[in-house]
Amino acid sequence: MPTITKPLTPTTIGNLKPKTNRYPKSDGGCTGLFIEVMPSGSKIWRYRYTLNGERQSPVTIGSYPSITIEAARERGRKYAAMVAQGISPVTDAKKDRGAALALDTVKAFGVHWFETQIADKSEDYSKTTLRTLEKDIYPMIGNKPIGDVTSGDVLAICDKIKGRGSPQAALLARNVIKRLYDYAIDRQVVVTINPAKMLVARFIATQSSRERVLSPEEIGKVLRAVYLSDMVRPNKLALHLLCITMVRKSELRNAEWSEFDFEAGIWRIPAERMKKEKEHWVYLSTQAVGLFKELKALATSEVYVFPARHGREDKPICKTTLNQAIKILDMDVQHFVLHDFRRTASTHLHEMGMSSDAIEKALAHKIGGIKGIYNRALYAEERKKLLQLWADFVDAQIENGRTSIIGNFSRTE
């Protein structure tokens, strides 16, 4: 006997508690309608359907309780009627959401943006974003119509946060508003200008070297300048690798050929060379493998990947070599040191929604609590994915604005 799905009620929905991963609960009051419970506790109405014999991705109706049970069922029945005629409800669903949001406030649209775009990202990323919205953004502009916010409003938010001694939180608030408005513009919701995009990050807060995060444009500027300079080829490749492998400078310059398995795409850094005194595996992107193979072809040492060019002793390059190489570059990028590559990678990968734990593992940071007990293979697949994603992202920034041939580092299949 088939299981009968009961219609959802306010009590039933109220009893749905968040879990580590989002999960659906079907509504017996409308075929195809379900509510999805996010790890943050938000609840989103969606409608699943099959068109032309193929299961389609569910369409989003909206958040509960903003969209009531009856309103969600009404939408579900409307979309079911369209599907019965062989018509995809996707376009109508977007229009329905847009119509509901067109004249809404920043907070109303922010709630929608968070629930549909951010809530199912990594826990740290979603919590940080939500805290920024609720603590800094909504109190100042939450009640303003989304189309009325100016760059002056965003600057006022940033200045207030800086006033309490938190310049990095000010930058974070600017970035959250920027992403929210990017989404609003993409969805054609009233606004056509992003008020946060008009504010240059370095004018919001002066970053010290320990806080510096390169923008995508600055990543491109740095590496284009590297490849267009007259420094020796191994140093150019070293700086590129320092960016895309997320390792520390000391770990790279002391690298030995015996540590690499190019077939498996793994670099095993021994414990004695690691800050935490524990062996660290770097899952190499296709770009990193290609760069290391080029270095192998240029090798003048059977031991070291980056041998010193002078003297008879076989030893790695001096610890200041790469610092000096970057200092003499002609580039319009301020307050940048090599260690900022790691922070830059971490920041952008978090913004892409990658797992915070996987990022921390890739950086060889210690993860506290029970998670820190697991072996080195933990998050291996996620780390492979994020390091390849990061190398692809860096490639794209090098290509942006390139006017000279500096090499082909694109991902190859």
Side-chain angles (χ1 to χ4, degrees):
M1 185 175 179
T3 302
I4 298 175
T5 302
K6 295 181 179 179
L8 293 173
T9 65
T11 300
T12 306
I13 295 175
N15 289 333
L16 297 175
K17 304 303 180 185
K19 300 179 181 178
T20 304
N21 297 314
R22 60 182 181 178
Y23 66 94
K25 179 70 174 177
S26 296
D27 174 42
C30 176
T31 302
L33 181 66
F34 67 98
I35 197 164
E36 194 164 27
V37 183
M38 300 298 189
S40 65
S42 300
K43 295 164 185 177
I44 314 294
W45 290 111
R46 305 193 199 278
Y47 174 75
R48 63 165 66 93
Y49 64 102
T50 299
L51 189 64
N52 300 323
E54 293 186 10
R55 174 62 65 89
Q56 307 294 313
S57 298
V59 294
T60 299
I61 292 174
S63 60
Y64 177 86
S66 298
I67 303 293
T68 65
I69 296 174
E70 283 309 315
R73 286 173 183 160
E74 185 178 340
R75 294 264 186 94
R77 295 183 191 110
K78 171 186 173 182
Y79 300 152
M82 294 177 67
V83 171
Q85 299 176 49
I87 302 171
S88 170
V90 171
T91 301
D92 267 48
K94 286 182 178 179
K95 288 180 180 177
D96 289 338
R97 293 197 302 274
L101 294 166
L103 299 177
D104 267 354
T105 60
V106 170
K107 184 173 183 178
F109 187 81
V111 169
H112 164 77
W113 171 68
F114 180 84
E115 290 174 345
T116 58
Q117 302 297 309
I118 307 298
D120 58 349
K121 304 292 186 185
S122 68
E123 183 178 0
D124 281 357
Y125 178 62
S126 59
K127 281 186 176 179
T128 300
T129 303
L130 183 60
R131 183 169 62 249
T132 301
L133 286 166
E134 294 182 339
K135 181 179 179 181
D136 297 316
I137 298 172
Y138 292 158
M140 290 191 70
I141 61 172
N143 293 327
K144 291 194 74 165
I146 191 167
D148 289 355
V149 175
T150 67
S151 57
D153 293 323
V154 181
L155 186 58
I157 292 172
C158 295
D159 285 344
K160 182 175 181 180
I161 299 171
K162 285 162 59 180
R164 65 174 190 251
S166 303
Q168 297 311 302
L171 283 173
L172 177 60
R174 175 260 190 188
N175 291 339
V176 168
I177 296 171
K178 178 179 176 295
R179 292 194 297 273
L180 186 154
Y181 271 82
D182 280 342
Y183 179 73
I185 292 169
D186 183 58
R187 292 299 183 273
Q188 298 181 342
V189 179
V190 181
V191 291
T192 56
I193 296 175
N194 189 327
K197 201 168 187 176
M198 300 169 71
L199 301 180
V200 180
R202 66 176 179 271
F203 295 148
I204 295 173
T206 302
Q207 298 165 305
S208 70
S209 62
R210 286 183 61 90
E211 300 168 335
R212 185 72 160 95
V213 173
L214 295 175
S215 69
E217 294 80 9
E218 288 174 328
I219 294 169
K221 281 184 180 181
V222 169
L223 290 174
R224 284 196 299 274
V226 166
Y227 281 110
L228 292 171
S229 73
D230 58 1
M231 74 176 70
V232 295
R233 183 71 176 175
N235 286 356
K236 294 180 180 182
L237 302 183
L239 292 167
H240 193 164
L241 284 163
L242 197 60
C243 180
I244 65 175
T245 59
M246 298 168 60
V247 298
R248 298 176 179 88
K249 184 185 65 175
S250 62
E251 294 157 6
L252 182 72
R253 74 179 187 85
N254 289 297
E256 299 183 14
W257 289 117
S258 60
E259 298 165 4
F260 292 86
D261 182 342
F262 291 140
E263 187 173 339
I266 296 175
W267 172 16
R268 298 176 178 88
I269 306 178
E272 60 267 22
R273 289 208 294 105
M274 293 301 301
K275 189 174 181 180
K276 299 296 181 183
E277 298 183 348
K278 183 178 180 181
E279 185 181 65
H280 177 57
W281 289 18
V282 180
Y283 295 92
L284 301 173
S285 62
T286 54
Q287 291 92 329
V289 170
L291 295 174
F292 277 119
K293 284 184 175 179
E294 181 178 345
L295 285 162
K296 187 69 172 174
L298 299 171
T300 58
S301 168
E302 293 183 1
V303 178
Y304 296 106
V305 178
F306 299 101
R309 299 176 63 211
H310 305 291
R312 295 182 179 180
E313 186 180 354
D314 191 9
K315 60 182 181 180
I317 56 175
C318 174
K319 63 181 181 180
T320 61
T321 298
L322 297 180
N323 296 75
Q324 294 302 320
I326 206 78
K327 281 182 180 179
I328 63 174
L329 291 180
D330 181 18
M331 59 181 183
D332 181 26
V333 178
Q334 300 177 354
H335 311 298
F336 165 67
V337 297
L338 291 179
H339 192 72
D340 298 333
F341 274 144
R342 284 164 56 84
R343 188 178 305 103
T344 295
S346 174
T347 299
H348 289 293
L349 286 167
H350 273 103
E351 289 192 352
M352 295 176 198
M354 299 303 292
S355 161
S356 182
D357 288 341
I359 294 170
E360 292 300 296
K361 282 285 186 181
L363 290 166
H365 286 167
K366 183 178 180 180
I367 297 178
I370 190 68
K371 294 180 180 178
I373 299 174
Y374 299 152
N375 62 37
R376 73 171 73 91
L378 186 64
Y379 310 112
E381 289 304 316
E382 288 183 87
R383 288 160 65 187
K384 290 177 188 177
K385 179 181 176 181
L386 74 83
L387 280 167
Q388 186 60 64
L389 176 66
W390 179 238
D392 291 343
F393 179 83
V394 170
D395 267 358
Q397 309 321 310
I398 296 174
E399 266 316 290
N400 251 348
R402 182 172 64 83
T403 57
S404 304
I405 297 174
I406 56 176
N408 179 14
F409 308 104
S410 298
R411 180 179 178 180
T412 55
E413 298 297 340

